[in-house]
Amino acid sequence: MWQKGFGGSLNESPNSIIELSDKNIICVGASSSGVSGNKSIATYGKLDWWVIKLDKAGNEIWQKNYGGIEPESEFVYLKTGENGEFYLYGSSVSGPTGNKTTLSQGSMDYWLLKLNGDGDILWQHSFGGNSIDYLRSLLVENDSSFILSGQSQSVISGDKNESSYGGSDYWVLKIKLEQTTATYNEKESEVNIFPNPTNDFLYINSDIEFDHSIISNLYGGRFYQK
């Protein structure tokens, strides 16, 4: 019915394709090209994730890059969400650079992003230990509960609390992203606290700055104070 080619002057490696509820198409792969060919956006680092949205006739609607200054994994995947939103996931070496805002725990971490239909990042989270962790599969239970599965060479460190049995193991974790609201100078803001549960590191993302915080469990027990 039709065929289209997309690429720049260097290497592209397509990995995943999905159809959204509006029948438009999302394609993703890894790209090392700068602005060249019909790639119209520069890379953040050595290897970025390149996402292209097409209409049902294969015509480009938009294209965007996701990554930091270091190379992201060659393998990157897509999962459909609701209301034209979708999830982008794979593994990343980068720290907070480019449009990656999460910290790096080791050589390579799981990296999960939620995007809207225009490719804007709604949120992003990283999970990993002190070595190489490859995210391969994602189950979406609902908008805040996910099961991530992949390959890990990390020992107990960072977000990983299971010891390694050998050179490379399965690593499966279920995460629940808690969302609440806070009032600061009469301004309502969203605060994300993750992962839940945790017995090691706890991360707080907020669009406001604050000097003092107290977090309690459902029973009123205080387990974090700064």
Side-chain angles (χ1 to χ4, degrees), residues 60-144:
E60 180 186 320
I61 299 174
W62 53 254
Q63 56 175 279
K64 295 195 176 183
N65 267 359
Y66 303 89
I69 196 170
E70 298 294 337
E72 314 317 323
S73 63
E74 185 176 352
F75 298 101
V76 52
Y77 310 97
L78 296 164
K79 183 80 71 172
T80 53
E82 297 180 350
N83 303 315
E85 299 169 342
F86 61 98
Y87 301 96
L88 179 66
Y89 63 99
S91 299
S92 173
V93 178
S94 299
T97 50
N99 56 4
K100 188 182 180 202
T101 60
T102 57
L103 297 174
S104 174
Q105 300 277 9
S107 300
M108 185 167 283
D109 297 336
Y110 289 5
W111 190 24
L112 169 63
L113 305 88
K114 183 178 181 181
L115 310 176
N116 66 17
D118 295 322
D120 301 320
I121 299 174
L122 300 176
W123 52 250
Q124 57 177 289
H125 299 293
S126 292
F127 304 93
N130 65 346
S131 189
I132 298 173
D133 304 300
Y134 286 109
L135 178 56
R136 302 291 196 189
S137 187
L138 174 71
L139 291 178
V140 180
E141 293 193 324
N142 52 57
D143 192 47
S144 63

Side-chain angles (χ1 to χ4, degrees), residues 23-225:
K23 303 303 180 181
N24 289 321
I25 300 164
I26 299 288
C27 310
V28 68
S31 173
S32 55
S33 297
V35 177
S36 54
N38 55 5
K39 187 178 182 191
S40 59
I41 46 178
T43 58
Y44 292 110
K46 300 174 183 177
L47 192 70
D48 289 348
W49 295 344
W50 187 27
V51 176
I52 307 172
K53 185 173 185 178
L54 310 173
D55 64 21
K56 57 185 179 182
N59 301 307
E60 180 186 320
I61 299 174
W62 53 254
Q63 56 175 279
K64 295 195 176 183
N65 267 359
Y66 303 89
I69 196 170
E70 298 294 337
E72 314 317 323
S73 63
E74 185 176 352
F75 298 101
V76 52
Y77 310 97
L78 296 164
K79 183 80 71 172
T80 53
E82 297 180 350
N83 303 315
E85 299 169 342
F86 61 98
Y87 301 96
L88 179 66
Y89 63 99
S91 299
S92 173
V93 178
S94 299
T97 50
N99 56 4
K100 188 182 180 202
T101 60
T102 57
L103 297 174
S104 174
Q105 300 277 9
S107 300
M108 185 167 283
D109 297 336
Y110 289 5
W111 190 24
L112 169 63
L113 305 88
K114 183 178 181 181
L115 310 176
N116 66 17
D118 295 322
D120 301 320
I121 299 174
L122 300 176
W123 52 250
Q124 57 177 289
H125 299 293
S126 292
F127 304 93
N130 65 346
S131 189
I132 298 173
D133 304 300
Y134 286 109
L135 178 56
R136 302 291 196 189
S137 187
L138 174 71
L139 291 178
V140 180
E141 293 193 324
N142 52 57
D143 192 47
S144 63
S145 184
F146 307 87
I147 298 175
L148 293 74
S149 176
Q151 181 183 15
S152 176
Q153 297 180 16
S154 297
V155 298
I156 296 176
S157 55
D159 303 303
K160 191 177 181 189
N161 57 19
E162 289 282 329
S163 60
S164 173
Y165 292 101
S168 185
D169 297 338
Y170 293 175
W171 187 33
V172 182
L173 66 156
K174 182 174 181 179
I175 60 170
K176 183 174 178 60
L177 306 178
E178 297 288 350
Q179 295 187 351
T180 185
T181 59
T183 301
Y184 178 74
N185 291 342
E186 299 182 352
K187 174 186 176 184
E188 188 178 81
S189 300
E190 184 177 90
V191 178
N192 294 313
I193 302 172
F194 62 95
N196 179 27
T198 182
N199 60 6
D200 194 356
F201 289 92
L202 180 69
Y203 299 94
I204 303 173
N205 280 346
S206 173
D207 59 358
I208 60 173
E209 294 184 2
F210 52 89
D211 298 322
H212 184 68
S213 60
I214 298 174
I215 302 174
S216 302
N217 60 25
L218 293 175
Y219 305 100
R222 183 176 302 177
F223 65 89
Y224 177 85
Q225 179 173 346

